[in-house]
Amino acid sequence: MQLVTKPLKKAAAKFFAAAPFSLEKQSPIIPIRHMKFDFDATKIDHKFYMDAELASAYFASLSIFLTRGEDLVIDTARYHRDFITDPLLKQRVTSLIGQEAIHSKMHEELNDAFIEKDLPVKLFRVWAGWAFDYGFNRLPQPMKLSLMAGIEHFTAVLAEYMMNHEEIFFRSQDEKQRAIWMWHMLEESEHKDIAFDVFQSLSNSYALRIAGFFPALITILVLISVASFLVPFYRNPKNLISLSYWREMPYSLQLIFGLKDGVYGSSLKHIFDYLRPDFHPNDHDTTAFLEYYKERLLHPETGLLTPYLTKEFTPALRT
Ligand SMILES: [Fe+2]
Ligand SMILES: [Fe+2]
C-alpha cells in the first residue's frame, strides 16, 4: 500500500506546489463538540420538517446520504492536511475533521432510528455505497478536494437558510431531531470556509473548483430529491392512494424549491455565487447568526444543546 501511496503523495505535492492564495479571510479557531442524543425511534417525528411528509423525507434522505459525503470530506481533508503549511489552517482542518466525524456518527444513529420508522435507510445506504465506493471515492485527489469544497458550499447554503428561518425547527415537538439539525447547522456555518481555503491554498484552479461544484449540486439537489420521493410510499404504501398525501405534495415542493421562501429556491443566488471567480464563503457574513445561535444553543443553563453536549475541546495550534 505504501508503495502506491508514496509516489501518489509525491505527485500531489508537486501538483499543489505553487498555488498563491491569501488566507486573509480565514475565520478563527473552532472547537470539536461531542454529543449524545440517544434517539428513541418511538419519538421520531417522520413529518419533522414543517409537518410536511415529502419535505421531511428530503431531510431524512439527506441525513442518510450526507454521512457518506461527510466521510469523503474527512478522508480528503486528512489526506491534504499534510500539504498545508499555514499552522492556523492546519489546525482548522483538524477541527473540520473532528466536527464532521461526529456529525457522521450522530446522523448514523438518527438513521438507525429511522429504520424503525420504516424509512428506506438500508436501501439508501446501498445506493450511497454505489455512488461513493464506485464513483466519488475513486476520483483523483485534486478532484476530491474540489468536490469536498463543493459539498461544504452546499452545507453552508443550507446552514445559512436554516439560521435565517429558525421557525422551521419548532413546528414539531421532536426535540432530538431539532437538536441534531440545529447543532449540525451551527457547525456547518462555523467551518464553512475551511474546505474552500484548503482547496484555494493547494490548488487555486478556478476550472477545477467549478468541476467539483456540479457533482455536489446534482447529488444534493437532484439525486437526493428524487430518492426522497420514494420515502413516503416505502413508509406507508397507502400514501400512493391517499388524497391528503397528494394534496400536501405541492406544499412540500414549495418548502424545498419555492423561489420566494423555499430552502433551495430562495438560495439560488447564494448557490451560484460559488461560480464567481473571486468568491469566498465568508463573503456571506454569518457572524451575527453564529453569535446568536451559540448563545441560544450552548448557554450552560438555557442552551438547547446543553443537555446533549458531553465534551468540547479545541485541537492545539502547532506553529
Ligand atoms: Fe457535517
Ligand atoms: Fe461540513
Side-chain angles (χ1 to χ4, degrees):
M1 192 65 187
Q2 278 254 317
L3 282 174
V4 184
T5 52
K6 265 199 168 169
L8 277 176
K9 271 211 155 182
K10 248 185 163 177
K14 230 178 175 181
F15 183 86
F16 295 136
F21 169 69
S22 158
L23 286 163
E24 61 189 11
K25 290 182 180 174
Q26 189 165 209
S27 297
I29 287 174
I30 51 167
I32 299 168
R33 302 180 187 91
H34 288 251
M35 311 297 285
K36 194 171 182 342
F37 293 108
D38 288 327
F39 294 104
D40 175 353
T42 61
K43 291 185 181 152
I44 292 280
D45 179 3
H46 71 274
K47 289 168 83 170
F48 173 77
Y49 195 86
M50 301 299 279
D51 203 29
E53 175 127 18
L54 184 59
S56 303
Y58 174 79
F59 282 98
S61 308
L62 187 68
S63 172
I64 302 163
F65 285 98
L66 205 63
T67 57
R68 293 303 302 260
E70 284 169 330
D71 294 345
L72 181 141
V73 169
I74 294 163
D75 290 345
T76 309
R78 214 173 256 151
Y79 178 90
H80 290 92
R81 184 171 49 184
D82 292 348
F83 303 112
I84 297 167
T85 50
D86 181 83
L88 177 58
L89 183 56
K90 208 167 188 150
Q91 188 282 343
R92 296 179 70 241
V93 171
T94 303
S95 289
L96 167 71
I97 293 168
Q99 287 195 344
E100 293 296 9
I102 301 170
H103 296 171
S104 178
K105 189 166 178 273
M106 293 299 107
H107 273 271
E108 282 298 19
E109 290 182 14
L110 174 63
N111 300 338
D112 287 342
F114 282 150
I115 293 176
E116 290 180 54
K117 295 295 281 184
D118 294 327
L119 267 67
V121 178
K122 289 178 184 169
L123 180 66
F124 284 3
R125 279 177 176 159
V126 172
W127 288 355
W130 290 343
F132 281 87
D133 297 338
Y134 298 109
F136 298 143
N137 290 339
R138 294 189 179 197
L139 291 169
Q141 287 295 346
M143 187 58 198
K144 278 169 84 173
L145 183 65
S146 172
L147 185 59
M148 168 176 86
I151 291 171
E152 287 296 289
H153 171 61
F154 281 94
T155 52
V157 168
L158 265 172
E160 188 169 329
Y161 176 88
M162 289 178 170
M163 290 196 292
N164 210 358
H165 296 80
E166 191 180 349
E167 69 281 1
I168 61 175
F169 298 107
F170 292 88
R171 185 72 175 262
S172 169
Q173 301 300 314
D174 184 343
E175 289 175 9
K176 292 188 179 179
Q177 276 203 82
R178 178 185 305 149
I180 190 173
W181 285 114
M182 290 189 92
W183 159 69
H184 203 159
M185 164 196 84
L186 174 78
E187 295 197 343
E188 286 305 325
S189 192
E190 270 183 335
H191 71 229
K192 68 177 180 181
D193 55 346
I194 301 177
F196 184 89
D197 283 347
V198 173
F199 177 83
Q200 290 294 82
S201 301
L202 296 179
S203 165
N204 206 5
S205 157
Y206 176 72
L208 183 58
R209 176 160 72 83
I210 300 313
F213 169 84
F214 287 101
L217 172 107
I218 292 164
T219 307
I220 295 172
L221 260 77
V222 183
L223 298 181
I224 299 179
S225 299
V226 171
S228 66
F229 274 90
L230 184 70
V231 176
F233 308 128
Y234 189 96
R235 193 188 66 74
N236 180 8
K238 280 187 186 154
N239 273 329
L240 263 175
I241 49 163
S242 155
L243 207 62
S244 63
Y245 171 72
W246 290 103
R247 268 205 200 121
E248 188 217 77
M249 193 189 267
Y251 172 57
S252 274
L253 292 174
Q254 182 227 317
L255 284 172
I256 304 291
F257 298 107
L259 290 175
K260 195 168 163 268
D261 221 12
V263 179
Y264 294 121
S266 69
S267 304
L268 288 176
K269 231 173 134 191
H270 189 178
I271 291 172
F272 289 102
D273 196 29
Y274 195 78
L275 303 182
R276 188 162 44 88
D278 59 349
F279 169 84
H280 188 277
N282 291 339
D283 295 342
H284 296 258
D285 186 7
T286 41
T287 48
F289 277 137
L290 281 175
E291 258 171 55
Y292 169 78
Y293 281 104
K294 271 189 211 161
E295 176 69 15
R296 179 115 171 81
L297 300 177
L298 299 165
H299 186 280
E301 273 122 49
T302 56
L304 262 163
L305 293 177
T306 308
Y308 310 104
L309 179 67
T310 57
K311 192 171 110 187
E312 177 176 323
F313 83 100
T314 306
L317 175 71
R318 296 180 209 284
T319 48

